[in-house]
Amino acid sequence: MNDPPILRTENLGKRFGPFVALRGITAEFRAGALTAIIGPNGAGKSTYFNLLSGALAPSEGRILFEGRDITGTPQHRFAHLGIAKSFQITTVFPQLPALENVRVAAQARVARYDIWRPRARLHDLLAEAETLLDTVGLARHRDRPASTLAHGEQRALEIAMALAVRPRLLLLDEPTAGMSPEETRSMMELIVRLAAARTVILVEHKMRLVMGISDRILVLHHGELLAQGTPDDIRRNDTVRRVYLGQREH
Amino acid sequence: MARADLMAAAARHRAALAAAALLVFPLLMPFKAIAVNILVQGLFAVGFNLLYGYLGLLSFGHAALLGSGAYACGIVLVRFGWPWWAALAAGPLGGMAIAAAIGALAIRTRGIYFAMVTLALAQCLYFIAYQATGWTGGENGLRGVNIAAIRLAGLRIDLVDPLHRYYFVAVFVIAALFALSRILASPFGAVMEAVRENEARARACGYDIRTTRWLAFVLSGGFCGLAGALQAIHLGIVPVETLYYTTSGLVVMMTLLGGAGTFFGPFIGAGLFGMLEELVSLWTVHWQLVVGVVFVACVLFFPRGVWGTLLAGRGR
Ligand SMILES: Nc1ncnc2c1ncn2[C@@H]1O[C@H](COP(=O)(O)OP(=O)(O)OP(=O)(O)O)[C@@H](O)[C@H]1O
Ligand SMILES: [Mg+2]
């Protein structure tokens, strides 16, 4: 319990012009834990997520990863640091085969500007990509262009690509968005499996999905940290209940 | 299935197939001097296509890369008396150097702004070349870029003979195609595809988009610079219009006409353009209008370009 946190945000805030999307978020994320960030639509979850993943620069505050200040680090460096993510809107390479999607993601660790060696000679990457496709249950679709996969399969593919970075911290923004109930169930199973081996931060607005699987939960509302604690703490929290009440759960 | 296998085999040996086509081409083509033009313009389009077709970056300043290759070659040959092979090597180096500079400024922008910044920088280079008459000959062009004959391993290549000249140029174009094929098959080739497909994901994987684009721009400069040097040797002169923005527009049109993102498309585009220009100008002085209409029709009805459309039909 006394391990240093893998990730810490101090007084983190983000403004879009005059609009304050996020304000004063101070929170710690324990290594090895599965933390869920929940909150109603527009609460600022994706904004917070984008700050954690480097896609946006904060307007104020600091982000510390493994004790190191990484505020303002360019986005592509986050992967090198060991932070990978999947986006709220599926983000893959649509025309490329599923296997190549994962292979090129893995390649970023070893060969970014090599213009001469045949890429086919990087055998390890291919084997690694095959293993990862298998992990997310897409092995049989390896040669299909990503755009021809079903929505749920594309989301799984994106997670395989995030894993190819070999992250110590995996960030997932609503990985079940737009999924059927079956797809959602297998995605949640996958997340639990992944969380066994690494730190996972999961953004979700459907509270019931994360209650059973999370070690810790952060609740955002109107850009502020409304509550944090174990699922039981959150379930008992009156303010949280008020926020989620009167708002239909999809 | 057999057809798909055939396509895959053809893709693997794309450089060899393209080389074979280029070697046969002048034998089928009555006008040898135009054949050399097409070869050189095709290589120019290949360089442009590397950036536009494979990375999705539209530059309107590629005249600068062709022109700097042409002037680099011409100047060291005419003003410094370098041997032909060194002058030829100066072409791609000059193209890459200018590409490195223009690229460093332009890659900060994207989309239409990128096109505009490259256009503006290329026009700057045009005005510099226009003014620096002592080096470039100004509006009269740089004259006297002549290599009469080359002796190589007991072989005498007479560059005044159009067929000799064609095969002399073809050797370098084909070497460039093998290099291009190698680049496309390299890890960096995969990165270019990834960046073209989805920048946000490429960035999340750990690729630096700016450096990727810059490197691709510099490589493009190498191919265009070589095309410029070959053009200078072929024409015997570097006209200052080589750097003018119409040259940049021409390479965009040739590439789109042939098929952006295809290996051989740029040559098809250059070939169609060269032939059209030649044939139509025989019966009307308004050939540009006719060529323009054909171009617009092609872009509207074959958005993948002529070669791209043929390939798509075959692949199915
Ligand atoms: N780029 C932007 N420019 C302006 N406003 C933005 C921008 N991105 C987000 N916002 C605003 O910030 C607020 C928080 O948005 P955010 O996407 O973080 O919410 P969210 O909690 O992820 O919601 P959802 O559950 O719908 O994904 C919203 O009011 C949104 O309109
Ligand atoms: Mg969101």
Side-chain angles (χ1 to χ4, degrees):
Chain A
M1 216 50 239
N2 289 328
D3 292 345
I6 187 167
L7 187 74
R8 182 179 154 77
T9 69
E10 293 175 357
N11 194 32
L12 208 61
K14 179 71 187 173
R15 283 184 305 274
F16 296 110
F19 177 71
V20 181
L22 209 65
R23 177 170 35 218
I25 311 287
T26 299
E28 287 187 351
F29 299 86
R30 204 152 41 78
L34 196 173
T35 308
I37 300 171
I38 65 170
N41 288 116
K45 303 183 296 296
S46 290
T47 304
Y48 189 46
F49 180 90
N50 287 333
L51 294 176
L52 297 184
S53 67
L56 291 176
S59 309
E60 64 209 16
R62 298 203 303 163
I63 305 170
L64 296 112
F65 178 64
E66 295 177 335
R68 191 170 141 198
D69 189 343
I70 58 166
T71 321
T73 302
Q75 160 90 87
H76 66 271
R77 288 265 165 72
F78 276 64
H80 309 174
L81 287 171
I83 304 177
K85 68 168 168 181
S86 77
F87 295 75
Q88 180 167 359
I89 297 163
T90 310
T91 305
V92 294
F93 305 125
Q95 316 251 6
L96 305 184
L99 187 66
E100 176 63 8
N101 265 271
V102 185
R103 197 204 63 81
V104 79
Q107 186 195 298
R109 296 196 322 264
V110 292
R112 292 191 285 272
Y113 306 113
D114 181 343
I115 61 164
W116 206 242
R117 219 169 359 153
R119 70 175 93 149
R121 208 167 288 164
L122 305 168
H123 304 288
D124 300 355
L125 293 183
L126 216 53
E128 184 182 343
E130 277 169 358
T131 312
L132 286 171
L133 271 190
D134 198 38
T135 305
V136 301
L138 289 177
R140 66 184 183 287
H141 295 318
R142 45 171 284 174
D143 295 323
R144 282 178 49 190
S147 61
T148 67
L149 298 176
H151 172 72
E153 290 167 344
Q154 290 193 27
R155 305 236 53 158
L157 176 62
E158 190 174 351
I159 291 185
M161 294 169 79
L163 292 174
V165 167
R166 291 200 186 152
R168 292 191 294 288
L169 173 61
L170 179 63
L171 305 169
L172 306 171
D173 193 357
E174 299 206 26
T176 64
M179 281 191 175
S180 69
E182 303 91 87
E183 285 177 329
T184 303
R185 207 170 311 120
S186 66
M187 176 58 80
M188 294 318 277
E189 278 167 25
L190 173 64
I191 292 169
V192 170
R193 244 188 311 138
L194 297 178
R198 54 184 73 64
T199 314
V200 175
I201 299 178
L202 171 67
V203 165
E204 186 56 70
H205 78 269
K206 288 169 265 184
M207 186 156 146
R208 65 177 164 80
L209 275 184
V210 297
M211 278 304 178
I213 61 166
S214 305
D215 299 307
R216 229 183 139 66
I217 292 182
L218 265 63
V219 187
L220 293 183
H221 185 49
H222 289 318
E224 291 185 53
L225 187 58
L226 188 72
Q228 57 176 321
T230 64
D232 281 333
D233 298 338
I234 298 302
R235 208 175 279 126
R236 280 193 296 265
N237 188 309
D238 285 336
T239 341
V240 175
R241 261 150 87 183
R242 219 172 305 123
V243 166
Y244 266 92
L245 224 69
Q247 124 133 13
R248 183 167 303 162
E249 257 219 63
H250 331 264
Chain B
M1 198 59 217
R3 176 165 278 188
D5 287 345
L6 209 63
M7 291 292 290
R12 253 197 316 284
H13 301 292
R14 55 194 169 192
L17 288 173
L22 294 182
L23 289 176
V24 176
F25 177 57
L27 306 177
L28 313 170
M29 170 79 186
F31 319 105
K32 310 297 182 220
I34 302 172
V36 184
N37 269 339
I38 290 173
L39 204 53
V40 168
Q41 295 292 316
L43 180 61
F44 181 29
V46 160
F48 173 81
N49 188 38
L50 172 64
L51 198 65
Y52 177 69
Y54 291 96
L55 191 60
L57 210 52
L58 176 61
S59 152
F60 257 114
H62 259 51
L65 309 186
L66 180 78
S68 51
Y71 276 117
C73 172
I75 288 172
V76 298
L77 202 69
V78 174
R79 308 260 184 258
F80 299 109
W82 285 21
W84 66 270
W85 49 269
L88 204 53
L93 293 177
M96 292 205 289
I98 295 295
I102 292 182
L105 296 169
I107 48 149
R108 297 167 172 280
T109 60
R110 48 187 57 240
I112 191 70
Y113 299 100
F114 180 81
M116 290 301 120
V117 170
T118 48
L119 172 65
L121 292 172
Q123 281 301 94
C124 289
L125 208 62
Y126 168 77
F127 285 113
I128 292 171
Y130 197 93
Q131 299 296 333
T133 44
W135 289 86
T136 64
E139 65 177 316
N140 296 324
L142 179 63
R143 290 165 186 277
V145 190
N146 295 322
I147 312 171
I150 292 166
R151 264 172 220 293
L152 210 66
L155 221 65
R156 188 172 179 280
I157 306 161
D158 176 14
L159 286 181
V160 182
D161 178 314
L163 207 57
H164 278 211
R165 200 190 307 163
Y166 181 91
Y167 284 110
F168 174 78
V169 171
V171 165
F172 294 97
V173 172
I174 287 169
L177 287 179
F178 275 96
L180 174 70
S181 183
R182 182 127 192 176
I183 291 171
L184 295 178
S186 74
F188 184 71
V191 179
M192 287 199 293
E193 282 172 23
V195 169
R196 179 198 62 204
E197 288 284 297
N198 194 323
E199 262 182 40
R201 173 43 72 191
R203 207 179 284 119
C205 288
Y207 295 112
D208 181 357
I209 308 294
R210 278 194 185 173
T211 312
T212 301
R213 292 166 141 201
W214 181 80
L215 181 54
F217 201 84
V218 172
L219 292 172
S220 177
F223 289 98
C224 296
L226 177 61
L230 292 170
Q231 188 181 64
I233 289 170
H234 164 49
L235 299 178
I237 177 175
V238 183
V240 73
E241 287 74 32
T242 311
L243 283 172
Y244 204 50
Y245 72 88
T246 48
T247 306
S248 300
L250 189 69
V251 77
V252 176
M253 291 206 275
M254 289 189 303
T255 307
L256 291 180
L257 193 63
T262 64
F263 192 76
F264 198 61
F267 286 101
I268 301 289
L272 287 174
F273 241 91
M275 308 282 247
L276 266 179
E277 179 179 338
E278 200 60 29
L279 296 177
V280 179
S281 61
L282 286 181
W283 59 268
T284 168
V285 289
H286 303 300
W287 62 271
Q288 285 179 318
L289 182 70
V290 177
V291 172
V293 168
V294 170
F295 172 72
V296 170
C298 275
V299 168
L300 286 179
F301 299 112
F302 305 106
R304 294 159 180 242
V306 172
W307 191 244
T309 306
L310 284 174
L311 286 184
R314 274 296 158 86
R316 242 177 265 126

